[in-house]
């Protein structure tokens, strides 16, 4: 967790990230990669938060 200071206020910053990488060949594959990345995001949130989850797509 990080803290950001804006003016005289302090905010806690929490970031969860999901990603995949690969080479989609069709629009359907692009949409599936987006869905895979979304699943990775929710995996990050479900595990601990403040985490990055991801890896190669099945279209790698």
């Amino acid at each position: 967790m990080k803290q950001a200071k804006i003016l005289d206020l302090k905010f806690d910053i929490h970031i969860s990230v999901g990603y995949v990488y690969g080479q989609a060949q069709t629009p359907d594959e692009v949409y599936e990669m987006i869905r895979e990345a979304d699943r990775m995001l929710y995996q990050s949130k479900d595990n601990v938060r403040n985490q990055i989850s991801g890896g190669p797509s099945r279209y790698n």
Side-chain angles (χ1 to χ4, degrees):
M1 173 178 58
K2 288 288 214 175
Q3 274 199 339
K5 185 177 179 186
I6 300 173
L7 301 173
D8 288 330
L9 304 172
K10 291 183 182 178
F11 297 91
D12 292 337
I13 305 293
H14 302 270
I15 297 175
S16 297
V17 176
Y19 74 92
V20 296
Y21 60 88
Q23 293 185 342
Q25 302 297 316
T26 67
D28 286 340
E29 290 177 358
V30 171
Y31 292 124
E32 180 56 31
M33 288 180 72
I34 292 168
R35 285 189 287 272
E36 288 178 30
D38 191 53
R39 285 191 292 271
M40 291 290 112
L41 170 61
Y42 283 97
Q43 180 179 321
S44 290
K45 288 181 174 185
D46 289 342
N47 285 342
V48 180
R49 296 195 180 246
N50 291 327
Q51 176 177 30
I52 298 173
S53 297
S57 170
R58 65 182 188 174
Y59 301 107
N60 190 14

